[in-house]
Amino acid sequence: MIFGISSLSTTSSSIVGQTLTGVLQDFGSDLSAYISGGLTSSNGYTYSFTQQGGTGTWDLTIIGYSSGGGSTSLTMSNITADMSVGLSNIGVTVYPVFAGGTLMLNAGDSSTQAFSVLSSGGTIQQPTSGSATLSGVFSGAGGLTFIGTGSTIMSGANTYSGGTTVSGGTLEVAGSLPTGTGDVFVASAGTLMGTGTIAGNSIVSGVLKPGNSPGYLSFTQNLTLNAGSTYQQDIAGATQASSSTPVGASGYYSFVTVGSQLTITSGATLTPRLSNLFSTSETGYGSSMYVPVLGDKFRIITAGGITGRFTTLTQPAELSSGTQLIAFYNVNNSKSVDLVTVPTSYSTTLNSRSTNAKSVAGVLDQLLGVNKAGTASSAQDSLLYAVAGQTAVSLPTFAQALSGEIHAVSAATLPQTTQRVQQSVLARLGDYPMAPSQINPALNNALLTGAISATNPSGLPTANISSNPAVNPNAVNVTSAAVADGRAWGEIAYQRAERASNSGGNGYNSNLYQIVTGVDAYSNAELGLKLGGGISLSNTTVTTTGGNSTIQQGSFFVYGKMSVLQDYVLDGMASVGLSSTKLSRNDPTGYTGGFSSKAVMGNDALVSVGLSRGFEYSDLRVTPYARLSYQYVGQNSYDEGSAVAALNIARFSGSAVRGVIGVAAGSLNKDPLKDEYTYRANIAVGADTLGLLNPTLNTTLGGYSSSVTTATAGSAFVQVGLYGTVKIADNAYAYAGVSGEARSGQTLYGGSVGLRLAF
């Protein structure tokens, strides 16, 4: 059979390297019966035949062209299994063919020669040191094996399909198809590095280093990193390298894309490098080394899917003290491997920060541990990834936001509502009449002489003294003092609380709106006795950094006072109530729009007892007093949901004792129903135990126990108040009051207005 290429079809080298499929069919497995030799030429072209897997169908690859024309003008060079040749043995007009032989390279060799690789393949012996460059096109059905200890640069648009094996030394690639179309295997003694695109499936048991200095490398198929392999990651800046990144430039870090599956086998090592990244010929040579800082994230690999993780992550010696690099795999379904700079210990880094930030730091250190051990859940890694993006400046605030301070702030606000009810009740108990000897001298005399019956079943004293002023000039005063003042009473109160930020946490403020109503169920002026009860309804809004809440509370209370030891007055109060809190806060991670907890139920109780003694001075009554209160607050457990930064808040219960001593001064012997006005002012000092003032709630964050508290306030405080009444009818008077309380870190101030009716 005569087979050739027509001189009429083309007369140039433009078709060299092309493979024409299926040019011969049904020829069996041996062409020698039909064509003499497996390689021939015609009209200046040389070509070879490759069988398609024993089918009898043969492809033709054009492997050379000589402009002299005719097959006799071209000298062929086959590198067969028994041959080892150097580049110097191959003439420029010769189109060499790998047929099982070895091409020997020396340091500094550089060739643009095209090669054909037959199915028997070929071996390239790399320089013992230094590098050689092959930029010509390698084509054919065979594969190449690289051996030796030096380096070979392959940069041609190669089409050979038999695969590439790097048994030893370094294969440095560049361009769109430097390893042809076949699979790539890097043995344990080999290194694959460079830029461009690797077309076939790749398995690495040695070293994979994207870039020459930091650069971009793409794998269109699967990439497997075997046990014992090393992935070398160069970092010379915070910008991810791409296909357009200048070769040898500083400011970038290496990046790999995998078109299909990335498999990281147990035993693989990830080795980031910061120094000695550039050769003397590259523009980045001599540039300052880039040292990662907290918050730096390096997305080093993206893939169609990721399986496994690196067993070892080698820390660069040049990292700043107190920092480390950790790896994240497919975090937030990113299909990527990320290197992130984080503290070696969050607890150490945040040691001087707020109590809440330090509590969160303990959780973050545990998340670091499970991340490095490979046992972290996806939610835990997602949470840590969000934290890892924080800079040294933003980290303390971010950690504090994770603690959920609004929960502790709301718990600290709960007791204030019942304390405000107590103020209303004490203002009521402070109204006249007081102890019998404190009403006025005329009434006192009448009581002592029996003019007023102590056995009046109504409980109200009656005057047997003549109402005629001529007979008894004090009769009007006696009658006035004996008439009960407003039995039914109610008031509307407002109170604002402000707490400053400090080492405990962020500050906050609250606004309390309250309605209190009560009835004096029983009174006896002879004994200075008054008993009553009532209800209160309150609504409090609370605001702190990153969160707010609304607290609705209702309570039932009873109160009373009586004279003791003739000149002293004993008062008391008891209250029980329920609360419902709605809380919301921002999600600092940004993964959700925020958190909300509704109808968080709680309960509270308060018991107080006080003792006072009035002294009269001209038109002024001065009354020193002392009071002791016990308060309890409880709140059910609740949670914020299943988001990565959501908190579970344990049940809270706390109690506190308050002691107050003070003095009140006001108008003497004034009846709010008879006199146009009355007034009273007070000042007091006191102290609280800290169980309710600075509450700590136990929480769970990222699966680990934590806690949250408030900005702290001091236990000692000063109280001031001013209270007055104005008569508006014979059986009614209005009243108003302002009050304030100040302590280290916190102030409360507000006022109340109300109406009382006699019936």
Side-chain angles (χ1 to χ4, degrees), residues 179-505:
T179 57
T181 60
D183 295 342
V184 175
F185 174 71
V186 181
S188 58
T191 297
L192 175 64
M193 61 178 288
T195 61
T197 302
I198 306 296
N201 295 310
S202 299
I203 299 175
V204 178
S205 293
V207 176
L208 174 61
K209 177 190 174 313
N212 305 313
S213 49
Y216 169 78
L217 185 60
S218 174
F219 294 82
T220 60
Q221 300 298 319
N222 299 310
L223 171 61
T224 299
L225 301 175
N226 281 340
S229 66
T230 297
Y231 184 96
Q232 184 174 305
Q233 174 66 40
D234 288 354
I235 300 175
T239 303
Q240 186 185 80
S242 67
S243 58
S244 60
T245 298
V247 175
S250 61
Y252 298 89
Y253 66 89
S254 295
F255 177 52
V256 161
T257 60
V258 181
S260 190
Q261 186 73 22
L262 168 65
T263 301
I264 307 173
T265 307
S266 177
T269 297
L270 173 59
T271 302
R273 287 202 324 168
L274 304 179
S275 60
N276 301 319
L277 305 182
F278 300 97
S279 65
T280 56
S281 62
E282 292 179 316
T283 59
Y285 183 78
S287 61
S288 299
M289 180 177 60
Y290 182 80
V291 179
V293 296
L294 293 183
D296 276 354
K297 289 183 176 180
F298 307 99
R299 180 148 290 180
I300 61 175
I301 306 174
T302 61
I306 298 176
T307 302
R309 56 182 290 118
F310 293 103
T311 301
T312 303
L313 197 167
T314 304
Q315 298 295 327
E318 300 86 356
L319 283 174
S320 298
S321 176
T323 66
Q324 63 179 330
L325 293 171
I326 62 172
F328 292 92
Y329 302 85
N330 198 34
V331 66
N332 299 326
N333 199 32
S334 62
K335 298 182 179 180
S336 67
V337 178
D338 296 86
L339 273 177
V340 184
T341 312
V342 299
T344 53
S345 168
Y346 279 100
S347 294
T348 300
T349 301
L350 297 174
N351 182 56
S352 62
R353 301 298 178 170
S354 72
T355 301
N356 289 328
K358 288 189 286 188
S359 179
V360 168
V363 172
L364 299 180
D365 282 340
Q366 294 182 83
L367 294 179
L368 280 177
V370 293
N371 169 274
K372 291 189 283 188
T375 58
S377 68
S378 59
Q380 288 173 328
D381 263 352
S382 185
L383 174 58
L384 185 59
Y385 186 78
V387 179
Q390 304 307 307
T391 66
V393 174
S394 66
L395 176 60
T397 301
F398 191 89
Q400 193 161 322
L402 284 174
S403 70
E405 289 186 336
I406 186 60
H407 301 291
V409 165
S410 294
T413 305
L414 285 169
Q416 295 176 10
T417 301
T418 307
Q419 292 170 11
R420 186 62 191 78
V421 174
Q422 184 186 36
Q423 288 186 37
S424 298
V425 172
L426 292 176
R428 174 61 178 153
L429 292 177
D431 286 347
Y432 303 114
M434 301 293 283
S437 64
Q438 298 172 359
I439 297 173
N440 59 38
L443 178 59
N444 186 46
N445 291 333
L447 290 171
L448 294 175
T449 60
I452 296 178
S453 171
T455 60
N456 186 345
S458 68
L460 295 174
T462 59
N464 293 325
I465 303 173
S466 170
S467 62
N468 186 342
V471 177
N472 184 353
N474 293 318
V476 173
N477 286 338
V478 173
T479 303
S480 172
V483 175
D485 63 316
R487 291 287 192 90
W489 58 278
E491 73 174 36
I492 299 174
Y494 167 79
Q495 177 176 278
R496 179 173 176 84
E498 297 178 349
R499 187 173 292 194
S501 300
N502 54 36
S503 60

Side-chain angles (χ1 to χ4, degrees), residues 395-751:
L395 176 60
T397 301
F398 191 89
Q400 193 161 322
L402 284 174
S403 70
E405 289 186 336
I406 186 60
H407 301 291
V409 165
S410 294
T413 305
L414 285 169
Q416 295 176 10
T417 301
T418 307
Q419 292 170 11
R420 186 62 191 78
V421 174
Q422 184 186 36
Q423 288 186 37
S424 298
V425 172
L426 292 176
R428 174 61 178 153
L429 292 177
D431 286 347
Y432 303 114
M434 301 293 283
S437 64
Q438 298 172 359
I439 297 173
N440 59 38
L443 178 59
N444 186 46
N445 291 333
L447 290 171
L448 294 175
T449 60
I452 296 178
S453 171
T455 60
N456 186 345
S458 68
L460 295 174
T462 59
N464 293 325
I465 303 173
S466 170
S467 62
N468 186 342
V471 177
N472 184 353
N474 293 318
V476 173
N477 286 338
V478 173
T479 303
S480 172
V483 175
D485 63 316
R487 291 287 192 90
W489 58 278
E491 73 174 36
I492 299 174
Y494 167 79
Q495 177 176 278
R496 179 173 176 84
E498 297 178 349
R499 187 173 292 194
S501 300
N502 54 36
S503 60
N506 287 315
Y508 64 88
N509 61 72
S510 65
N511 294 281
L512 166 66
Y513 304 88
Q514 187 176 79
I515 298 175
V516 184
T517 62
V519 174
D520 296 343
Y522 178 82
S523 61
N524 187 320
E526 293 180 39
L527 303 176
L529 178 65
K530 181 184 293 184
L531 300 174
I535 61 172
S536 71
L537 298 174
S538 308
N539 190 85
T540 306
T541 59
V542 185
T543 303
T544 188
T545 303
N548 59 78
S549 66
T550 300
I551 306 171
Q552 294 179 325
Q553 290 172 283
S555 65
F556 170 77
F557 57 87
V558 294
Y559 57 87
K561 74 172 183 178
M562 64 180 295
S563 62
V564 294
L565 303 175
Q566 187 175 354
D567 292 327
Y568 291 87
V569 176
L570 182 69
D571 65 67
M573 173 193 170
S575 170
V576 293
L578 296 175
S579 65
S580 177
T581 304
K582 178 181 178 181
L583 306 99
S584 62
R585 71 179 180 101
N586 300 335
D587 183 353
T589 66
Y591 295 148
T592 70
F595 306 110
S596 179
S597 303
K598 300 179 180 179
V600 179
M601 302 305 296
N603 59 299
D604 59 87
L606 182 144
V607 178
S608 71
V609 61
L611 185 66
S612 61
R613 167 71 163 89
F615 298 91
E616 298 174 1
Y617 300 95
S618 184
D619 292 333
L620 186 69
R621 179 180 296 279
V622 178
T623 307
Y625 62 89
R627 184 165 290 105
L628 190 65
S629 303
Y630 168 82
Q631 189 171 12
Y632 165 84
V633 171
Q635 184 172 261
N636 294 343
S637 61
Y638 57 101
D639 65 75
E640 294 181 323
S642 58
V644 297
L647 294 170
N648 291 327
I649 299 90
R651 175 173 173 78
F652 168 76
S653 63
S655 61
V657 175
R658 164 176 287 202
V660 180
I661 57 173
V663 61
S667 52
L668 177 65
N669 294 333
K670 293 284 185 77
D671 185 341
L673 286 174
K674 297 299 181 182
D675 295 293
E676 294 300 321
Y677 67 90
T678 68
Y679 65 88
R680 183 170 65 256
N682 73 283
I683 183 169
V685 295
D688 291 309
T689 58
L690 301 180
L692 296 178
L693 185 64
N694 303 317
T696 296
L697 277 64
N698 294 322
T699 62
T700 301
L701 172 65
Y704 293 101
S705 296
S706 184
S707 63
V708 60
T709 187
T710 65
T712 56
S715 61
F717 59 85
V718 176
Q719 288 180 337
V720 294
L722 179 63
Y723 170 85
T725 68
V726 176
K727 177 184 174 183
I728 58 176
D730 287 342
N731 65 336
Y733 64 92
Y735 62 92
V738 293
S739 62
E741 179 181 289
R743 68 178 79 222
S744 173
Q746 177 177 287
T747 57
L748 290 86
Y749 54 90

Side-chain angles (χ1 to χ4, degrees), residues 46-69:
T46 56
Y47 48 89
S48 64
F49 294 99
T50 305
Q51 186 180 190
Q52 295 182 2
T55 61
T57 298
W58 295 77
D59 300 336
L60 180 144
T61 300
I62 301 170
I63 60 175
Y65 170 73
S66 174
S67 60

